[in-house]
Amino acid sequence: MRIAVCPGSFDPVTKGHIDIIRRAGMLFDHVIVLVSVNPDKQATFSVDERIDFIKRCTSGIHNITVDYNEGLLADYISKSKASVIVKGLRAMSDFESEFQMAITNKKLNSNAETVFLPAMEENMYLSSSQVRQIGRLGGDIRLFVPAEIEEEIQIKLQKGGAGK
Ligand code: PNS
């Protein structure tokens, strides 16, 4: 059984993330969407909120589960039965940091292979930080986040629950 991990901050999950998760689900037997800690970012939404958003947006996909990891991704891969990391690649600007992470994860755990899926054109320039900024400033985030969670995200961002 081929198990893949889709790691990310998912703060919050976007239509771009869901597209990558859905496509990973078609390529692998099972996909673990892993809410992870990015030490360079201060999360706006709590871990529980981010997990709940992802679960609601992926409820129709039979081979997806959601988990949380506080530590290194390479260690999570060692402990789980997963061997593949799936990441979405948007514009060229993603390439350098994603390449660096892929090589580092492989150095930390020689079993951890990274596979990149190209973002669809409509998601090429979409990011969670954009969603947070647009929502916080009263803009319409419906284009960017799935309908199931749009209202809740909008309300929290408008209430000033949004960090950086
Ligand atoms: O959605 P993001 O913030 O771009 O995702 C980055 C993330 C969370 C996947 C990355 O920071 C990560 O893997 N964090 C876990 C800690 C870790 O393993 N760091 C070393 C990466 S080489």
Side-chain angles (χ1 to χ4, degrees):
M1 180 149 158
R2 298 295 279 173
I3 303 177
V5 173
C6 273
S9 307
F10 303 111
D11 189 35
V13 70
T14 66
K15 285 185 179 177
H17 293 130
I18 297 297
D19 178 60
I20 297 294
I21 293 165
R22 184 185 54 76
R23 287 158 60 198
M26 294 196 301
L27 292 171
F28 296 93
D29 299 312
H30 188 82
V31 175
I32 303 167
V33 182
L34 192 66
V35 176
S36 308
V37 176
N38 183 340
D40 299 330
K41 295 179 184 169
Q42 168 87 49
T44 294
F45 293 92
S46 71
V47 169
D48 286 347
E49 284 172 321
R50 286 180 276 158
I51 289 175
D52 177 57
F53 291 154
I54 298 166
K55 281 187 175 166
R56 277 156 53 191
C57 298
T58 57
S59 62
I61 316 175
H62 73 281
N63 59 343
I64 306 283
T65 51
V66 187
D67 199 3
Y68 169 66
N69 184 43
E70 235 169 23
L72 285 173
L73 177 58
D75 290 343
Y76 183 90
I77 300 281
S78 310
K79 282 182 269 173
S80 72
K81 292 198 172 84
S83 55
V84 180
I85 299 165
V86 176
K87 301 292 292 281
L89 264 192
R90 296 167 299 183
M92 282 307 287
S93 52
D94 271 352
F95 186 80
E96 200 172 336
S97 61
E98 290 297 344
F99 198 77
Q100 191 180 27
M101 278 194 269
I103 300 296
T104 307
N105 282 321
K106 177 88 175 144
K107 278 191 178 158
L108 292 171
N109 175 354
S110 59
N111 292 321
E113 288 292 354
T114 300
V115 168
F116 294 114
L117 294 180
M120 301 300 285
E121 201 181 8
E122 63 268 28
N123 299 322
M124 203 51 99
Y125 294 99
L126 171 55
S127 69
S128 299
S129 61
Q130 243 179 6
V131 169
R132 294 195 301 273
Q133 191 173 117
I134 293 167
R136 210 182 299 140
L137 298 175
D140 188 351
I141 59 169
R142 275 178 299 183
L143 277 174
F144 314 116
V145 300
E148 295 90 328
I149 57 172
E150 171 262 322
E151 198 180 338
E152 216 171 311
I153 290 176
Q154 187 82 63
I155 289 169
K156 175 151 184 182
L157 291 172
Q158 293 261 264
K159 270 189 193 156
K164 289 176 192 71

